[in-house]
Amino acid sequence: MGATSRVTRLLLATALAAAAVAVGLTQANADQDNQRIVGGSRASIADHPYVVYLATAEGFQFCGGTLVDDKKVVTAAHCTVGKQPADIAVVAGREDKESGAGVSAPVQKIWVHPEYTNVRSGNDVSVLTLTKPLPYRPLPLPNKDEEGLYAAGAPGVILGWGRVAADGQPSRYLLQATVPVVADADCAESYTGYKPETMVCAGLPEGGVDTCQGDSGGPLIVAGKLAGITSWGEGCAAPGKPGVYTRVAVYRDVIEEPALESKVSVPTQ
């Protein structure tokens, strides 16, 4: 079963307008469409003001992201690769996507990790620089030596607006759930080619709670810091198949200053 990037690119399907459906596209296999942040519940944007979503020029949400300073959003590379700034709007402070709350900010610059090729290769990290500062509290980045954030069993909070049912529409509201960090050895048993140097897994052994389509780019929060970026998995919330997240501590330098990417060595396997 192939890896599925957890992005839903919602396009206005003009040829299928009568059906009034949004078509979910994934960068990897499209046969894995499943559910939302499975096993989750409504989340308050007031409690998580740093969580944002990415929308197309037509207003369709397709990924998540995290505000790490007033003009910088961290998301997944597979959410932004091949896109131009005009293709993306960052929506912040909006828990209910059908409301007019919050701010929609244009993107000034897109940085995608230069070694990114696909979700299984790692380096699934992108930084969006906004045209204006946002009035919301950012989420701190982890230090490179904070290995405790990635200890097996550490509770992580996941957030997003992903699909609410198999083959259904994305969630109207921000959702959240809590999942434990999975030991690297256990994740390597679940996924051939898992790269512990640049990835981290989180989920329950029995499944039932997970991120999924449309949640890509959103945060995995451990101890109040951005420990991971929702990246990929096989299915959603399946037993023995935890979600895979970009290990943010490895990329702190390039997130803080993307222009330095050529000077930073990211370990590969």
Side-chain angles (χ1 to χ4, degrees):
M1 191 175 292
T4 302
S5 59
R6 297 188 168 185
V7 56
T8 300
R9 295 176 183 171
L10 301 175
L11 304 177
L12 190 58
T14 54
L16 299 174
V21 293
V23 179
L25 299 178
T26 65
Q27 188 177 3
N29 296 336
D31 61 354
Q32 298 287 336
D33 288 351
N34 207 301
Q35 298 187 17
R36 57 183 164 98
I37 284 191
V38 182
S41 59
R42 284 279 301 272
S44 168
I45 198 70
D47 293 337
H48 307 284
Y50 40 76
V51 181
V52 304
Y53 67 81
L54 311 188
T56 66
E58 295 78 21
F60 291 104
Q61 180 264 331
F62 63 93
C63 271
T66 306
L67 194 68
V68 296
D69 74 21
D70 61 0
K71 291 183 65 176
K72 191 175 292 183
V73 169
V74 171
T75 187
H78 74 259
C79 290
T80 63
V81 66
K83 294 186 179 296
Q84 299 299 315
D87 297 331
I88 302 173
V90 169
V91 181
R94 188 174 299 172
E95 180 179 322
D96 174 358
K97 292 189 297 187
E98 294 186 14
S99 77
V103 176
S104 179
V107 174
Q108 181 179 63
K109 178 182 177 182
I110 299 173
W111 177 84
V112 175
H113 195 285
E115 295 179 34
Y116 172 77
T117 56
N118 58 69
V119 292
R120 279 195 182 269
S121 73
N123 302 313
D124 191 12
V125 56
S126 176
V127 179
L128 307 179
T129 302
L130 308 179
T131 61
K132 60 182 180 182
L134 296 182
Y136 302 105
R137 173 170 57 88
L139 187 66
L141 293 168
N143 295 321
K144 291 184 288 185
D145 59 355
E146 287 191 85
E147 289 303 315
L149 295 182
Y150 303 102
V157 175
I158 50 177
L159 295 134
W161 289 264
R163 292 188 176 203
V164 297
D167 301 318
Q169 299 297 316
S171 175
R172 170 178 170 176
Y173 303 102
L174 176 64
L175 301 173
Q176 69 176 2
T178 300
V179 287
V181 172
V182 175
D184 288 329
D186 293 338
C187 199
E189 290 184 3
S190 296
Y191 297 114
T192 302
Y194 169 73
K195 297 177 171 61
E197 298 90 348
T198 61
M199 302 174 186
V200 61
C201 286
L204 299 170
E206 67 273 22
V209 183
D210 198 6
T211 48
C212 198
Q213 306 282 355
D215 294 320
S216 281
L220 169 68
I221 304 167
V222 180
K225 295 189 177 182
L226 180 60
I229 303 166
T230 302
S231 183
W232 62 281
E234 291 182 359
C236 298
K241 295 293 182 182
V244 185
Y245 301 81
T246 302
R247 189 177 290 243
V248 172
V250 175
Y251 299 96
R252 177 172 179 133
D253 287 350
V254 293
I255 289 171
E256 289 186 322
E257 183 51 73
L260 297 178
E261 75 270 13
S262 62
K263 301 179 182 178
V264 177
S265 177
V266 175
T268 58
Q269 188 175 46

